[in-house]
Amino acid sequence: MTDSSAEPRKAEPARVTSLDDHRDRHPDEPSPAELARRLAPVAARLEADADDLAARQADLVQARFDSYAVGAAPRASIVESAHRNIRHLLAALRAGRPPSPEELDELGRTRERAVQGIPTDEMHDAYRAALRLLGDAFVDAAAACGLDQATTLAGTGLLWSTADVLTSVVVKARQEAELDLARSDEGQRVDFLRALVFDASMADLRKRAAAFGLPSDRSYWAVRAHAGEAGSGEVSGGEELRARLDAATRTYGCRPLLGVIDGDVVGVVPLRPHLDAGRFTIGIGGPLPLEAMPRAFATASRMLDVAVGFGLTGSFELRDLSVRVAVASEPDLGALLAERYLTPLQAEGDFGELLIETVSTHLAGGGRIVATAHRLGVHQNTVRHRLSRFEELTGAHLDDLDTTIELWWALTWRRHEGDR
């Protein structure tokens, strides 16, 4: 009797066990759109596991590489970088193609690692290890989703191509970051920045701008910003704001130029900054060519003054502040209208302030009695009585358009002066 174990077995289908198994294989692949469609379930699965994958990447690099293990790079920073790796790979899967170098900007991340003292070779090795982990996670997800072998092979090839692009961009970005650090003498930067935003008529403007990472063939935003107190430790509010603006306005092939001048953060940046409202108030002007930066900076300074005058925080250009700029620019008119419409109410004491609140709420609500009553939490007849009393004291008629405009101006000017 023949031992069944000695009988030849049927060949089992090839199975992808890791990203390395088929790195060099180049099967016929579907179009990017078709590949993206097939890989969609895997991308969704990886996205759902993003937090776990980010934590695993962080655990890996901290366990394997000394500089990361001793805390030179904070855990939160490593996790954020891990999430960034995941976002890059998910974008490739959903596009069905690897990214181009122009679509990636890793200068901010590599600069941060350079400042933290992470050696170049260790940073690169950690990056490759993290990408390998994500590659293995892709293979597992593909198996769990029941992907066929051809699609899995195409997907692994796509991930390797993406990893190659990412690695080359990181290498170049690290080189740029180290060069940037080498030439970032604060005195020279601030001197050039001051000349750029106040004059910009220097003969060698284009050459000097290029040395600071500002190509002359594009337009820029000028920014001027106030910062609050220090965020934590010994980092001043100005330095914290400058770092945040630097990270928010970097783009491929162009770096922001930022410095602290007379207590304000001043800069010329390639992207319009969008920072959440908080402790910072930022005025913005532009976009304009480098030669026109004094005009852009004058606008940014004006927007900053107006925003601060109204007690606002966040990022503001002219279209954000709109007619508030006109109100702030005409103090004599504001005072005149306030005297006409608001001064007569002062003799009424607290009731006069109540009338001002009611009229202000009424205008903000489109002049609707019901909406005003709802916002103030009073009866509609109470609103009617207050508005009637306002008209008696001021001689104004709220159904007159000119009166409404002048009254809004007076109330806005009053708020501006009160916040100042």
Side-chain angles (χ1 to χ4, degrees), residues 105 214 218-223 245-252 254-258 267-274 284-285 287:
D105 181 14
L214 301 174
R218 63 178 300 159
S219 295
Y220 296 88
W221 301 89
V223 297
L245 281 171
D246 185 277
T249 58
R250 283 184 173 271
T251 187
Y252 187 79
C254 188
R255 299 186 298 275
L257 180 64
L258 295 156
V268 175
V269 299
L271 298 177
R272 186 205 187 282
H274 294 278
I284 304 171

Side-chain angles (χ1 to χ4, degrees), residues 112-331:
E112 180 183 29
R113 295 292 179 258
V115 171
Q116 291 164 347
I118 304 294
T120 300
D121 57 345
E122 202 161 284
M123 188 198 79
H124 292 164
D125 290 343
Y127 197 82
R128 284 193 290 266
L131 292 177
R132 187 179 300 277
L133 183 149
L134 292 178
D136 291 339
F138 166 82
V139 172
D140 293 339
C145 292
L147 243 62
D148 61 87
Q149 182 184 0
T151 302
T152 301
L153 291 175
T156 56
L158 169 61
L159 291 190
W160 274 118
S161 297
T162 300
D164 288 341
V165 175
L166 286 170
T167 301
S168 66
V169 169
V170 167
V171 170
K172 182 177 179 181
R174 178 59 184 246
Q175 294 171 345
E176 292 184 17
E178 292 174 345
L179 289 173
D180 189 31
L181 291 174
R183 59 175 172 243
S184 63
D185 178 81
E186 188 63 21
Q188 294 182 14
R189 290 173 64 84
V190 171
D191 287 346
F192 175 69
L193 179 60
R194 188 186 295 274
L196 183 59
V197 299
F198 289 115
D199 186 3
S201 62
M202 63 204 80
D204 59 347
L205 169 63
R206 292 176 178 270
K207 181 179 178 180
R208 294 184 64 186
F212 285 98
L214 301 174
S216 59
D217 59 348
R218 63 178 300 159
S219 295
Y220 296 88
W221 301 89
V223 297
R224 185 169 186 172
H226 284 330
E229 298 299 324
S232 61
E234 298 180 355
V235 178
S236 69
E239 290 300 325
E240 180 188 351
L241 175 54
R242 181 170 66 168
R244 290 184 60 181
L245 281 171
D246 185 277
T249 58
R250 283 184 173 271
T251 187
Y252 187 79
C254 188
R255 299 186 298 275
L257 180 64
L258 295 156
V260 179
I261 298 178
D262 299 331
D264 287 343
V265 176
V266 172
V268 175
V269 299
L271 298 177
R272 186 205 187 282
H274 294 278
L275 296 185
D276 295 335
R279 294 183 293 109
F280 306 131
T281 304
I282 305 169
I284 304 171
L288 290 171
L290 283 173
E291 293 82 356
M293 278 302 101
R295 179 154 60 96
F297 181 68
T299 300
S301 298
R302 183 65 181 138
M303 296 307 102
L304 175 63
D305 289 342
V306 173
V308 170
F310 279 101
L312 304 174
T313 58
S315 306
F316 302 96
E317 53 183 306
L318 181 58
R319 65 182 178 183
D320 301 315
L321 296 172
S322 185
V323 291
R324 290 179 184 152
V325 177
V327 173
S329 301
E330 296 292 342

